[in-house]
Amino acid sequence: MPLTYTIDAEFGPARRGHMQLPHAVVETPVFMPVGTAGSVKAVPQDVLESLGAQIILGNTYHLYLRPGHELIRRMRGLHRFISWPRAMLTDSGGFQVFSLNELRKVTADGVEFRSHLDGSSHLFTPERSVEIQIALGADIVMVFDECTEYPADHGRARKSLEITLAWAVRSKAYFDAHKHEVPWAADLPGRTQSLFGIVQGGMYADLRRESAERLVELDLPGYAIGGLSVGEPRHLTREVIESTLPHLPKAKPRYVMGVGYPEEIVEYAGMGVDMMDCVLPTRAARHGLLFTSEGRLNIRNRRFAEDQGPADPECGCMVCRRYTRAYLRHLTAAQEPLSMVLNTIHNLAYYLDLMKAVRDAIAIGTLPSLLARVRAVSREAAGDNTTVL
Amino acid sequence: MPLTYTIDAEFGPARRGHMQLPHAVVETPVFMPVGTAGSVKAVPQDVLESLGAQIILGNTYHLYLRPGHELIRRMRGLHRFISWPRAMLTDSGGFQVFSLNELRKVTADGVEFRSHLDGSSHLFTPERSVEIQIALGADIVMVFDECTEYPADHGRARKSLEITLAWAVRSKAYFDAHKHEVPWAADLPGRTQSLFGIVQGGMYADLRRESAERLVELDLPGYAIGGLSVGEPRHLTREVIESTLPHLPKAKPRYVMGVGYPEEIVEYAGMGVDMMDCVLPTRAARHGLLFTSEGRLNIRNRRFAEDQGPADPECGCMVCRRYTRAYLRHLTAAQEPLSMVLNTIHNLAYYLDLMKAVRDAIAIGTLPSLLARVRAVSREAAGDNTTVL
């Protein structure tokens, strides 16, 4: 049995719900920290648990190359390999090989690419991607898709969409034939992974609609909107999400891949998105960019050198309870490894607490004021000349 | 009042005791993790506390350059700046400027050196070093010394020894005149920092004896043996410690700087050493070298790729309770930041647990069997072709 999804409260198009997955129940809307190579960078798993991370991502491309999916299969799956008892999702590798640019070649069969580690040649097909994802054993797995580049004209976006649809059919066929091979099959009898479809179609509403409608015919347990965060302006991201959501089944979880800034994730949740992921809070942390209730702080800034306040006076995370901005500024300026650890913990606390506030706001009907608050500090932050990653 | 030191149990020349310092009581023999720039690299302070770290080191040279001792003074001292409520010790900067080689020039007045960060010129004198250490506010501070290089002939070692002795007198004079300026003076009334002397004299027993005897005349609250771990063979390190200890007062703490491997710290504690520090457990961890009850492991080794056991089956640390060698091997091979965090936590747990075992073994008279056990796995490890840092 794949996931079951239940709506618990609604506020306009937004919904609060929960997904029953093989390893855990996940409350939605949910933000999923990215753990590219089997680790949310610099953060131990017990800290992720204490921060309230419900589900984390793994990257098929990275884990296939190192340590290899066959090794992880022998270790009885990614959950056990990295000691993560809660839910996981793996992407299909489509976005990563798309990002390789010079190192890849797309054919009807799949994508040939060279490893960024050693230059070796590899082929990902829909079947291969799903085979790897079954070996990894995440609770949610993704169809292999072609992430359409931006900009792409209507003809190119249609062609790319057709590839993705054909690959979704092949992904599903392989998944249905092999899903019982997941390494934890015997430990969680009756449970299976859930294969999600991915809507493509560039920035064209008609193609997005067609992509969604044809994917829905496959009756998958959840749907993602892909091909965003590829360089388009933010208003286009929102328009694509807005025009696509009505064509996805209300009774199934809806996932927007690769977003976003705090004000974006609150807004998209308000539009009816249930799941989001982004490297932003973790990557920004490693560059010294902190998200706070007062806006974004570039903690390297000289003005924090003697600031004895916490990173965020409204945050109760272990970093804000113990350390000052002055200390975080010193650690970051001195490139101490602890700066990665502490900055990342705080940013994840901010994102995960914000998403909890979104769930509560949907239940009690206060989402507009929450969004207004987050937008207000975001505008102030925009005047702060912080690094945008 | 400087520290008070009490001997609680003896076993031959070894002693178990405790030091009452301004910020905490420290049980000895103690191993002190190194926190060069105000952070034990990659480990949050709450984890250091849970590992049982009683006292950590700060480096005067690094903290003077960044963020600057005047800033730390304004933050009311290093304890508050880094949020460390237990004991701290700062070195004098002598060893670090000694390590700069091409970038330094020793005169009778002090050492001129260039910053490794930006090439700017600086002068450390005994007075300046102690001034900086008072601003940092560690519980124990060190006289400014010249660390004699290895090899050095008898004439050169004597000359260096005379410089160190003259600098010790000047360090003490400055300290006595300014110790009330420590930033926490008002918070801990009646308490002062403790200034330790440093024995030099190269590898010559007669010079070490002379250095010790003349330093003891200064009646300092503790004494260190410096100028070791400078490239000499290990048997010389032991001989110097053995020939120097009898000339240091039994009623005061005795500190060997910059050692060592597990079998060394157990052996030296057995000879009557009370305090040791070394970058080895933390630096080795960042290179994937783990210390365990089964000897040293180079965790990058292919043979750990599918090893589902903990790093050390006899260790109860948070890393060994949760993660496998296979996962640590993957993280280290993939250069994930989490590998630094987890490997360092385990190595510190090993060192701190070992030192606790030493204290217990002194009290119950089982030190020889503990030393034999640690030596046995050290010999096995030596056949394991592990990296020696």
Side-chain angles (χ1 to χ4, degrees), chain B residues 52-324:
Chain B
Q54 305 182 74
I55 173 169
I56 62 174
L57 252 70
N59 282 116
T60 289
Y61 167 80
H62 290 89
L63 292 164
Y64 159 79
L65 290 178
R66 192 166 57 186
H69 63 291
E70 290 299 349
L71 185 149
I72 292 175
R73 188 204 298 275
R74 289 191 295 272
M75 301 293 101
R76 296 175 66 187
L78 199 49
H79 287 84
R80 191 178 285 241
F81 180 61
I82 75 168
S83 185
W84 179 250
R86 299 185 183 176
M88 298 195 78
L89 181 152
T90 47
D91 69 0
S92 65
F95 183 79
Q96 270 72 32
V97 297
F98 160 83
S99 307
L100 291 173
N101 290 313
E102 306 301 303
L103 299 171
R104 72 181 154 91
K105 185 181 157 198
V106 181
T107 69
D109 191 39
V111 183
E112 289 174 30
F113 62 93
R114 289 183 178 278
S115 161
H116 73 288
L117 297 174
D118 62 6
S120 54
S121 290
H122 303 267
L123 173 67
F124 270 5
T125 62
E127 294 78 12
R128 182 70 166 154
S129 168
V130 174
E131 178 197 353
I132 296 166
Q133 292 185 81
I134 290 172
L136 298 176
D139 299 86
I140 298 175
V141 299
M142 305 300 296
V143 299
F144 189 63
D145 64 329
E146 187 188 52
C147 181
T148 314
E149 69 281 4
Y150 176 83
D153 66 29
H154 196 276
R156 160 68 195 141
R158 162 166 288 288
K159 198 179 151 200
S160 173
L161 156 68
E162 294 291 347
I163 293 177
T164 286
L165 282 166
W167 287 358
V169 171
R170 287 167 57 189
S171 294
K172 181 173 190 293
Y174 189 92
F175 180 76
D176 286 341
H178 295 272
K179 61 189 176 188
H180 60 281
E181 295 168 9
V182 71
W184 40 259
D187 304 323
L188 299 168
R191 294 280 179 186
T192 63
Q193 298 174 283
S194 292
L195 177 69
F196 276 32
I198 303 179
V199 177
Q200 291 286 350
M203 304 298 152
Y204 304 97
D206 62 325
L207 296 182
R208 288 284 177 174
R209 176 179 184 156
E210 182 181 337
S211 176
E213 288 176 347
R214 288 170 63 187
L215 271 176
V216 168
E217 288 169 18
L218 296 180
D219 193 24
L220 296 165
Y223 291 96
I225 302 177
L228 298 177
S229 291
V230 288
E232 78 282 8
R234 197 187 287 183
H235 72 88
L236 266 187
T237 316
R238 187 176 55 243
E239 282 170 30
V240 168
I241 296 170
E242 201 159 30
S243 67
T244 307
L245 282 173
H247 307 294
L248 293 176
K250 199 185 153 183
K252 293 182 176 179
R254 305 185 293 205
Y255 163 26
V256 175
M257 306 179 83
V259 293
Y261 279 89
E263 64 277 13
E264 289 184 277
I265 64 173
V266 176
E267 180 177 13
Y268 303 153
M271 290 159 56
V273 173
D274 305 302
M275 304 163 64
M276 287 170 270
D277 78 281
C278 194
V279 294
L280 185 58
T282 42
R283 183 175 294 166
R286 299 197 298 280
H287 290 85
L289 186 69
L290 299 184
F291 293 96
T292 79
S293 62
E294 299 179 344
R296 294 166 213 154
L297 309 180
N298 185 338
I299 198 66
R300 288 171 185 269
N301 196 302
R302 178 80 215 157
R303 70 186 164 103
F304 300 122
E306 304 196 14
D307 187 334
Q308 302 218 46
D312 183 349
E314 290 188 21
C315 179
C317 82
M318 56 170 275
V319 177
C320 289
R321 283 200 310 270
R322 180 152 195 169
Y323 304 102
T324 62

Side-chain angles (χ1 to χ4, degrees), chain B residues 25 28 34 37 96 100 184-185 226 332:
Chain B
V25 172
T28 60
V34 177
Q96 270 72 32
L100 291 173
W184 40 259
T332 307

Side-chain angles (χ1 to χ4, degrees), chain A residues 6-218:
Chain A
T6 309
I7 295 176
D8 298 314
E10 292 180 88
F11 179 79
R15 58 266 195 91
R16 178 179 175 149
H18 65 275
M19 295 188 287
Q20 173 72 56
L21 295 167
H23 289 83
V25 172
V26 170
E27 297 194 344
T28 61
V30 65
F31 180 81
M32 303 183 287
V34 176
T36 305
S39 163
V40 175
K41 287 194 193 304
V43 184
Q45 274 69 313
D46 64 298
V47 176
L48 291 173
E49 286 174 356
S50 72
L51 292 172
Q54 305 182 75
I55 173 168
I56 61 174
L57 251 71
N59 281 114
T60 289
Y61 166 81
H62 290 89
L63 292 165
Y64 158 80
L65 290 178
R66 191 166 57 185
H69 63 293
E70 289 299 349
L71 185 149
I72 291 175
R73 188 203 298 276
R74 290 192 295 273
M75 301 292 101
R76 295 175 66 186
L78 198 50
H79 288 84
R80 191 178 284 241
F81 181 62
I82 75 167
S83 185
W84 179 250
R86 299 185 182 175
M88 297 194 78
L89 180 151
T90 47
D91 70 1
S92 65
F95 183 79
Q96 270 71 34
V97 297
F98 160 84
S99 307
L100 291 173
N101 290 315
E102 306 301 302
L103 298 170
R104 72 181 153 92
K105 187 181 156 197
V106 182
T107 68
D109 191 38
V111 182
E112 289 174 29
F113 63 94
R114 289 182 178 278
S115 160
H116 74 287
L117 297 174
D118 62 7
S120 55
S121 289
H122 302 266
L123 174 66
F124 271 4
T125 61
E127 293 78 13
R128 183 68 167 156
S129 168
V130 174
E131 177 197 353
I132 296 166
Q133 291 186 80
I134 291 173
L136 299 177
D139 299 85
I140 297 174
V141 299
M142 305 301 296
V143 298
F144 190 62
D145 64 328
E146 186 187 54
C147 182
T148 313
E149 70 280 4
Y150 176 82
D153 66 29
H154 196 276
R156 160 68 196 142
R158 161 166 290 288
K159 198 178 149 199
S160 173
L161 156 68
E162 293 290 348
I163 293 177
T164 286
L165 282 166
W167 287 357
V169 171
R170 286 167 56 189
S171 294
K172 181 173 192 294
Y174 188 92
F175 180 76
D176 286 342
H178 295 272
K179 61 188 175 188
H180 59 281
E181 295 169 8
V182 72
W184 39 260
D187 304 323
L188 298 168
R191 294 281 180 184
T192 63
Q193 299 174 282
S194 292
L195 177 70
F196 277 31
I198 303 178
V199 176
Q200 291 287 351
M203 304 298 151
Y204 303 98
D206 61 325
L207 297 182
R208 289 283 176 174
R209 175 180 184 156
E210 182 181 337
S211 176
E213 288 176 346
R214 288 169 63 186
L215 271 175
V216 168
E217 289 169 19
L218 297 180

